[in-house]
Amino acid sequence: MHTRKSFETQSTALKRMLNFNAPPLKNTTESVWKVLIYDRFGQDIISPLLSVKELRDMGITLHLLLHTDRDPIPDVPAIYFVMPTEENTDRICQDLRNQLYESYYLNFISAISRSKLEDIASAALAANAVNQVTKVFDQYLNFITLEDDMFILCNQNKEHISYHAINKPDIMDTDMEAIMDTIVDSLFCFFVTLGAVPIIRCPRGNAAEMVAVKLDKKLRENLRDARNSLFTGDTMGTGQFSFQRPLFVLADRNLDLATPLHHTWTYQALIHDVLDFHLNRVSVEESQGSEASPAGARPKKKNKKSYDLTGADKFWQKHKGSPFPEVAEAVQEELDTYRAQEDEVKRLKSIMGLEGEDDGAISMLSDNTAKLTSAVSSLPELLEKKRLIDLHTNVATAVLDHIKSRKLDVYFEYEEKLMSKSTLDKSLLDIISDPDAGTVEDKMRLFLIYYITSQQPPSEADLEQYKKALVDAGCDLSSLNYIKQWKAFTKMAATPANYGSSGVKPMGLFSRVMNTGSQFVMEGVKNLVLKQHNLPVTRILDNLMEMKSNPETDDYRYFDPKMLRGSESSIPRNKNPFQEAIVFVVGGGNYIEYQNLVDYTKARQGKRVLYGCSELFNAAQFMKQLSQLGQK
C-alpha cells in the first residue's frame, strides 16, 4: 500500500511545473535557464518546499514578484505561478504587450475562469504574442505544505477565513458563503494534488458541516464530468493511489478552544508560541553579549536573525516534538560531540590552506587531488553540522529565556492539571496575582482555560474576584466576554470537551544540563515529562478512523462523493478501519494539536494521519481574535 505524503506530492507538482510541466528528468545536468514570476500566494507555497539552491539547480536564475518593475529579458522563457485574480491577469497582459520574455508558461495556482482566460487571449492577439504563450495550466496547488503531514490553506489574506471572520455575530450569509468557497477551493486543490477522493465525516450544525457539504458537491461535480475529471487515471500521473480511500475528518475550532490557548512544552510548539515562527522560518533576536551597558548609555540594538527549520535538518526532525528539557540536553550533547571534532576541522582547514577562510566559501570548493578529497568531503559536512548546532543553540536559548522569565513550566503544568481535572496544589488567584509569574497574556490564557474547562462555572462572587485580580494585573477582559457567550451557547449544544487524563510527571533535575559546563542554565525550570493523552481532535479522529461507536461522534455526517446519489446518512458504508486520514480544523489550528496527532500515529503501525487547518495561529494571535469578538 502506498502511503501518500502531502509534502512530496506538492513539491513533485512544483518541480514538474518548473520543468515546463514535464516530469523532471533524472541525472541531466543540462537545464534550460528560465525566470520564475510569482505573486505573494505563489511565493508562500514555494518557500517552505524549495530552497533557493534547489530552484537554481532547476535552472531558475531569477525569481521575481509579479507586481514589481521587471526589466525585459527577451531570450529567456518565463514561468508564471500566480492566483487567477483580475489584477494578476491584467499584469500578465501588460507583460505580453511589453514583450518581456521569449515565451510564457502561465500556471494558475487555482483554476482560472473562462472570462479571464479570454482576456489573456485577446491581449496576446493584440500584442502579436500568441505563439509566445506556450502553455496555460491550472495547477490546483492552492494550499501550503509545512511538513510531510501538515498543511494550511493560505498565508496572504488569512484574516478573510480566520476564526474571527467565521464567528462574527453580525456576519452576512453572503460573506459566510464566500469564506466557505475559499476554504473549499483550497481543499479541492489539496485532494486533486493528493490524487484521492476521500470519505468525508463532519459534525452537524457548524462551519465544518458547511465546508463538508460544499466540498462533497464540488468533488461530485468533478467526478461526474468524466471528460474533464481531475481524478481519473492518467491525470494523476504519479501512481499515488492506495487501495483504500482516505478518511477526511472536518472538525470545527469551536469544539475545543482550550488547546489553542494552552502553554506548551514541546520544542516546535514552544517556538511557535514564544518566538516569531512563520512558514517554517523563525526569527530570533540576538543578544549582543551579556555585558551590561554602562549606566546612562542607550541599550544595544538587538539584531534579528532568521533560520529555516526544514526537513533536511535531522536534529529538528528528531526533536521538534520532544519536551523542551530533552531538546536542551540533545543540543548540549551535539555541542560536546562537535567540540571533540573541532580540532579535526582546524586540521582539515590547514591541509587545504584555508585557515582564515569563511566557512561559506569553503562549502563551495571542490578540488580533486587525493589529499584534498577526503578533507573536502568531510569539511562541508562538519561545517553544516556546526551551522545546525549553532542554530538550535540560539533558538533553544531564546525559548529558554521565555520559559524562565515567564515561568512557563508552572503555567504548562497548572493548565495540564486543569484540563485533566486533577487536584491543584496552588490557587489560581495566587498565580494571577504573582507579579513575577508570566505576562498579562499568560495570566489571561490560564484563566480562560480554567473557565473553558470547568464543569461548574465559578460563582458570580468568585468571578468578580478573579476579574479584579486580572484587571489589577493589567489584563484586557474582552476575550472573557466572548468565551462567556461561547460557553453559554455550547452548553446548550453539547457537553464540554474532555481532554483525557493527561499526566505531567516532574522528573528529577536535569542531569546533563545541570552540570556547570552547559550552554543552558536550567536552574529553577521543572523537568516535566509528558504522558501520551489524546486531545479532543485526536479523539474524534480515533473514533472515526477505528469505527468506534461513541456519543461524541455517532451523529457525524457521512459523505461519499463517489456515490451516484448523494444519500444523506450518518451510516458509514464501510465498516473497516481506515489506514489513512486527514484531519482538518475549520477556524484554525496549532502545533500542539499537530504534535498530538503525530504522537497518536507513531503508536499505530501502518496508519498515516495528515493535519490541516484554515490558518495556523499561536495563542497570542488567537487571543487577539477572541478579544475582537468580545468587543462587539
Side-chain angles (χ1 to χ4, degrees):
M1 168 177 158
H2 304 288
T3 47
R4 317 182 185 82
K5 285 190 173 175
S6 166
F7 199 95
E8 233 165 55
T9 354
Q10 196 174 21
S11 52
T12 316
L14 285 171
K15 285 177 179 157
R16 220 187 133 104
M17 174 186 91
L18 296 174
N19 197 38
F20 306 118
N21 289 303
L25 295 167
K26 295 273 184 292
N27 47 30
T28 49
T29 43
E30 282 304 294
S31 55
V32 184
W33 295 120
K34 49 211 163 195
V35 188
L36 170 64
I37 312 290
Y38 45 44
D39 59 0
R40 296 255 176 235
F41 284 89
Q43 186 178 30
D44 288 342
I45 291 169
I46 292 173
S47 77
L49 291 176
L50 300 172
S51 64
V52 175
K53 181 183 180 309
E54 286 173 285
L55 290 175
R56 205 175 297 129
D57 292 345
M58 299 188 65
I60 303 287
T61 42
L62 263 181
H63 37 98
L64 304 164
L65 280 162
L66 177 64
H67 295 281
T68 47
D69 291 330
R70 289 171 280 114
D71 297 328
I73 314 179
D75 46 356
V76 169
I79 293 175
Y80 286 70
F81 184 51
V82 297
M83 285 295 271
T85 61
E86 188 102 18
E87 51 177 346
N88 284 353
T89 47
D90 288 352
R91 186 60 186 254
I92 291 171
C93 295
Q94 190 184 321
D95 288 357
L96 292 172
R97 285 194 293 274
N98 297 340
Q99 301 179 349
L100 287 190
Y101 307 110
E102 175 205 58
S103 54
Y104 303 82
Y105 292 78
L106 307 180
N107 296 279
F108 293 101
I109 296 172
S110 189
I112 186 170
S113 68
R114 177 89 202 203
S115 63
K116 292 200 183 88
L117 207 51
E118 285 166 357
D119 295 344
I120 294 177
S122 40
L125 269 172
N128 206 356
V130 175
N131 296 337
Q132 275 81 36
V133 181
T134 320
K135 283 189 176 150
V136 180
F137 269 92
D138 287 334
Q139 289 291 352
Y140 294 100
L141 289 173
N142 190 14
F143 59 96
I144 300 173
T145 303
L146 294 178
E147 303 273 350
D148 277 353
D149 46 8
M150 178 182 200
F151 67 100
I152 57 175
L153 295 194
C154 63
N155 175 46
Q156 304 298 321
N157 304 346
K158 60 181 175 212
E159 63 284 353
H160 296 332
I161 58 168
S162 64
Y163 179 83
H164 173 258
I166 297 171
N167 291 281
K168 273 200 315 226
D170 53 354
I171 186 165
M172 311 272 287
D173 288 354
T174 46
D175 294 344
M176 193 63 162
E177 287 287 314
I179 295 174
M180 296 300 129
D181 288 338
T182 306
I183 294 177
V184 168
D185 179 71
S186 284
L187 289 174
F188 180 75
C189 290
F190 175 78
F191 285 109
V192 171
T193 305
L194 206 58
V197 180
I199 299 275
I200 306 170
R201 303 293 308 266
C202 71
R204 293 170 187 270
N206 51 24
E209 180 179 31
M210 297 165 79
V211 171
V213 172
K214 278 184 179 285
L215 180 63
D216 175 61
K217 181 165 178 260
K218 188 159 180 148
L219 287 166
R220 197 176 281 281
E221 283 167 1
N222 189 269
L223 288 165
R224 207 172 284 149
D225 176 6
R227 274 219 333 274
N228 301 314
S229 171
L230 297 158
F231 292 97
T232 46
D234 57 339
T235 49
M236 304 321 317
T238 41
Q240 291 290 342
F241 276 109
S242 90
F243 301 114
Q244 196 197 20
R245 290 161 58 195
L247 167 70
F248 184 48
V249 178
L250 277 153
D252 195 289
R253 183 69 273 155
N254 279 318
L255 99 202
D256 167 17
L257 292 187
T259 304
L261 296 169
H262 190 14
H263 286 87
T264 171
W265 200 233
T266 55
Y267 192 31
Q268 183 175 33
L270 264 168
I271 290 174
H272 190 228
D273 190 3
V274 303
L275 304 177
D276 173 12
F277 182 47
H278 198 65
L279 297 182
N280 295 352
R281 172 168 294 170
V282 61
S283 306
V284 182
E285 287 188 347
E286 294 207 301
S287 47
Q288 303 290 337
S290 52
E291 69 276 2
S293 42
R298 288 169 61 188
K300 294 197 175 73
K301 190 173 178 309
K302 291 190 167 176
N303 284 344
K304 276 217 147 180
K305 204 161 176 187
S306 290
Y307 303 105
D308 287 316
L309 296 171
T310 64
D313 174 346
K314 292 202 177 60
F315 183 88
W316 175 242
Q317 284 310 322
K318 186 172 170 194
H319 291 291
K320 63 184 185 200
S322 308
F324 185 75
E326 272 177 40
V327 177
E329 290 206 356
V331 174
Q332 188 60 44
E333 244 169 83
E334 295 277 322
L335 208 56
D336 296 344
T337 328
Y338 179 77
R339 282 189 181 137
Q341 294 171 321
E342 213 152 26
D343 304 338
E344 176 68 356
V345 172
K346 289 198 179 98
R347 191 180 69 78
L348 293 174
K349 279 187 173 179
S350 71
I351 293 177
M352 295 165 75
L354 291 169
E355 278 91 346
E357 284 296 328
D358 157 28
D359 291 354
I362 296 176
S363 52
M364 298 298 181
L365 288 171
S366 48
D367 192 320
N368 50 10
T369 57
K371 112 175 152 179
L372 283 183
T373 309
S374 69
V376 167
S377 59
S378 49
L379 189 60
E381 205 174 292
L382 282 168
L383 293 175
E384 174 59 9
K385 202 168 175 185
K386 166 105 169 66
R387 182 186 75 79
L388 292 176
I389 293 170
D390 289 347
L391 181 164
H392 287 289
T393 306
N394 292 344
V395 172
T397 307
V399 170
L400 181 61
D401 289 346
H402 281 274
I403 293 178
K404 284 165 45 174
S405 64
R406 292 161 57 183
K407 298 194 176 170
L408 297 183
D409 48 339
V410 176
Y411 277 93
F412 167 68
E413 189 179 19
Y414 201 91
E415 289 164 10
E416 285 277 317
K417 285 182 176 165
L418 282 174
M419 289 162 87
S420 61
K421 320 256 186 293
S422 42
T423 47
L424 306 167
D425 45 357
K426 174 170 179 184
S427 97
L428 191 58
L429 224 49
D430 292 348
I431 301 186
I432 295 173
S433 319
D434 176 357
D436 296 334
T439 59
V440 209
E441 196 167 76
D442 291 327
K443 295 176 193 297
M444 200 63 211
R445 281 162 64 181
L446 173 68
F447 183 71
L448 289 178
I449 289 176
Y450 158 68
Y451 193 86
I452 291 167
T453 54
S454 59
Q455 297 287 335
Q456 289 296 297
S459 68
E460 278 304 312
D462 285 354
L463 190 59
E464 283 313 310
Q465 201 183 352
Y466 281 128
K467 279 173 145 177
K468 183 180 179 318
L470 288 164
V471 171
D472 290 347
C475 296
D476 165 18
L477 299 183
S478 41
S479 51
L480 177 62
N481 300 340
Y482 175 72
I483 293 290
K484 275 171 85 170
Q485 296 162 9
W486 170 83
K487 187 145 179 160
F489 177 73
T490 38
K491 196 170 191 152
M492 301 183 315
T495 51
N498 159 18
Y499 294 88
S501 55
S502 79
V504 190
K505 305 191 288 289
M507 296 289 278
L509 291 169
F510 307 109
S511 49
R512 176 170 280 102
V513 198
M514 286 315 273
N515 55 28
T516 44
S518 160
Q519 279 297 111
F520 299 100
V521 189
M522 301 284 277
E523 264 167 299
V525 176
K526 299 184 178 186
N527 187 1
L528 302 168
V529 192
L530 311 173
K531 270 206 333 240
Q532 173 55 28
H533 65 289
N534 290 342
L535 291 171
V537 168
T538 308
R539 216 178 39 249
I540 286 169
L541 166 84
D542 181 50
N543 291 341
L544 296 171
M545 199 168 178
E546 300 301 333
M547 295 287 168
K548 295 177 179 170
S549 173
N550 185 306
E552 197 172 14
T553 46
D554 282 346
D555 71 334
Y556 269 47
R557 292 185 65 180
Y558 176 93
F559 298 88
D560 181 350
K562 282 191 169 177
M563 299 292 288
L564 283 173
R565 286 183 312 286
S567 59
E568 162 46 43
S569 79
S570 44
I571 300 135
R573 296 236 181 302
N574 149 1
K575 291 281 182 270
N576 301 330
F578 287 88
Q579 292 306 306
E580 300 176 64
I582 299 109
V583 184
F584 184 84
V585 188
V586 179
N590 53 68
Y591 282 109
I592 306 179
E593 257 167 5
Y594 162 67
Q595 192 52 51
N596 195 248
L597 282 164
V598 169
D599 294 341
Y600 164 86
T601 316
K602 268 197 194 124
R604 285 159 185 73
Q605 275 301 190
K607 299 272 177 183
R608 182 164 173 77
V609 177
L610 273 68
Y611 177 73
C613 48
S614 48
E615 68 165 324
L616 187 62
F617 43 54
N618 64 14
Q621 293 155 337
F622 187 48
M623 287 280 288
K624 204 167 165 182
Q625 296 192 30
L626 294 177
S627 299
Q628 285 172 331
L629 287 164
Q631 285 159 6
K632 296 263 184 306

